[in-house]
Amino acid sequence: GAVVSQHPSWVICKSGTSVKIECRSLDFQATTMFWYRQFPKQSLMLMATSNEGSKATYEQGVEKDKFLINHASLTLSTLTVTSAHPEDSSFYICSATSPGLLYNEQFFGPGTRLTVL
Amino acid sequence: DQQVKQNSPSLSVQEGRISILNCDYTNSMFDYFLWYKKYPAEGPTFLISISSIKDKNEDGRFTVFLNKSAKHLSLHIVPSQPGDSAVYFCAALTNSNSGYALNFGKGTSLLVTP
């Protein structure tokens, strides 16, 4: 299957700082990327959907000014957690898909563990 | 509001036996369902899916059954192997604000013991 990478895989930051997480599709062009977050023992919750070259659309309850998403190219989307606080500590996972794939095929990155002190 | 529900947080099965993981959903508009397997600190891996026009889909040791009238689906793993120990997520494909996205259940942690 297609490969999606995330960087970093693990990050610790101080409260009030910003953290950028990258999601890359390595062997296909991802026109759409999704960002999910997962709290311990909870489900994966969709945060936002980003289409290449356009603004991301956020799910209800997700602060767009806090979670900045940029999908500037067909292989890269970034999620920036601005002014991070301890409650933002979570596991962030991206997935990528493309019209060339079956519509149900989303390939997931390995996730990024964010810990905010 | 959780539209995809996995009511069993954990399941323990002996190697070689059948594992049955259950999933219920509330939204009758869901028309495509998927199962994902997830190891700790990793992203989910797609296992098997089923369209709402079918009631069964089989792929090797994995079979998914769909009962639309009951809004229920299940994943059967036969025979179970220790390497199957992971968290299994049931998901329904839904329209997000701009495209298809996955609506996940909370997951069931499967432990297959030797």
Side-chain angles (χ1 to χ4, degrees), chain A residues 32 34 36 38 41-44 46 49 51 57-59 91 93 103-104 106 108-111 113, chain B residues 2 31-32 34 36 38 41-44 46 49 89 93 96-102 104-106:
Chain A
T32 303
F34 300 92
Y36 297 83
Q38 183 190 24
K41 299 183 180 179
Q42 296 294 318
S43 181
L44 286 84
L46 178 67
T49 305
N51 291 297
T57 51
Y58 292 79
E59 296 303 301
F91 192 57
I93 306 174
Y103 77 99
N104 56 293
Q106 288 185 34
F108 284 84
R113 170 74 61 193
Chain B
Q2 196 82 21
D31 60 4
Y32 207 95
L34 307 94
Y36 285 82
K38 183 180 180 299
E42 292 185 10
F46 171 73
S49 64
F89 288 94
L93 201 65
S96 74
N97 289 327
S98 65
Y100 289 106
L102 292 167
F104 286 92
K106 289 189 176 182

Side-chain angles (χ1 to χ4, degrees), chain B residues 75-86:
Chain B
L75 174 68
H76 292 212
I77 306 173
V78 184
S80 301
Q81 299 173 354
D84 297 328
S85 298

Side-chain angles (χ1 to χ4, degrees), chain A residues 48-64:
Chain A
T49 305
S50 74
N51 291 297
E52 185 268 337
S54 62
K55 289 184 178 180
T57 51
Y58 292 79
E59 296 303 301
Q60 192 172 13
V62 179
E63 299 175 59
K64 60 180 66 176

Side-chain angles (χ1 to χ4, degrees), chain B residues 8-109:
Chain B
S8 297
S10 63
L11 175 68
S12 182
V13 172
Q14 204 167 17
E15 181 179 9
R17 296 189 175 264
I18 184 171
S19 295
I20 300 176
L21 298 104
N22 293 304
C23 177
D24 298 291
Y25 61 95
T26 58
N27 190 340
S28 58
M29 298 301 291
F30 290 152
D31 60 4
Y32 207 95
F33 303 90
L34 307 94
W35 282 94
Y36 285 82
K37 177 180 181 180
K38 183 180 180 299
Y39 294 111
E42 292 185 10
T45 303
F46 171 73
L47 269 181
I48 192 169
S49 64
I50 189 167
S51 164
S52 61
I53 63 173
K54 294 187 176 181
D55 55 18
K56 177 183 176 181
N57 188 25
E58 188 173 354
D59 183 3
R61 296 187 297 114
F62 302 93
T63 303
V64 57
F65 296 91
L66 175 62
N67 183 333
K68 280 192 68 177
S69 61
K71 295 191 181 68
H72 176 83
L73 63 155
S74 61
L75 174 68
H76 292 212
I77 306 173
V78 184
S80 301
Q81 299 173 354
D84 297 328
S85 298
V87 178
Y88 290 79
F89 288 94
C90 169
L93 201 65
T94 57
N95 266 310
S96 74
N97 289 327
S98 65
Y100 289 106
L102 292 167
N103 190 329
F104 286 92
K106 289 189 176 182
T108 297
S109 179

Side-chain angles (χ1 to χ4, degrees), chain A residues 34-86:
Chain A
F34 300 92
W35 285 95
Y36 297 83
R37 68 186 295 184
Q38 183 190 24
F39 293 105
K41 299 183 180 179
Q42 296 294 318
S43 181
L44 286 84
M45 300 299 297
L46 178 67
M47 297 174 66
T49 305
S50 74
N51 291 297
E52 185 268 337
S54 62
K55 289 184 178 180
T57 51
Y58 292 79
E59 296 303 301
Q60 192 172 13
V62 179
E63 299 175 59
K64 60 180 66 176
D65 293 331
K66 181 168 185 63
F67 299 99
L68 301 178
I69 292 173
N70 182 279
H71 192 167
S73 78
L74 286 171
T75 58
L76 173 65
S77 175
T78 60
L79 167 68
T80 301
V81 183
T82 62
S83 186
H85 290 283

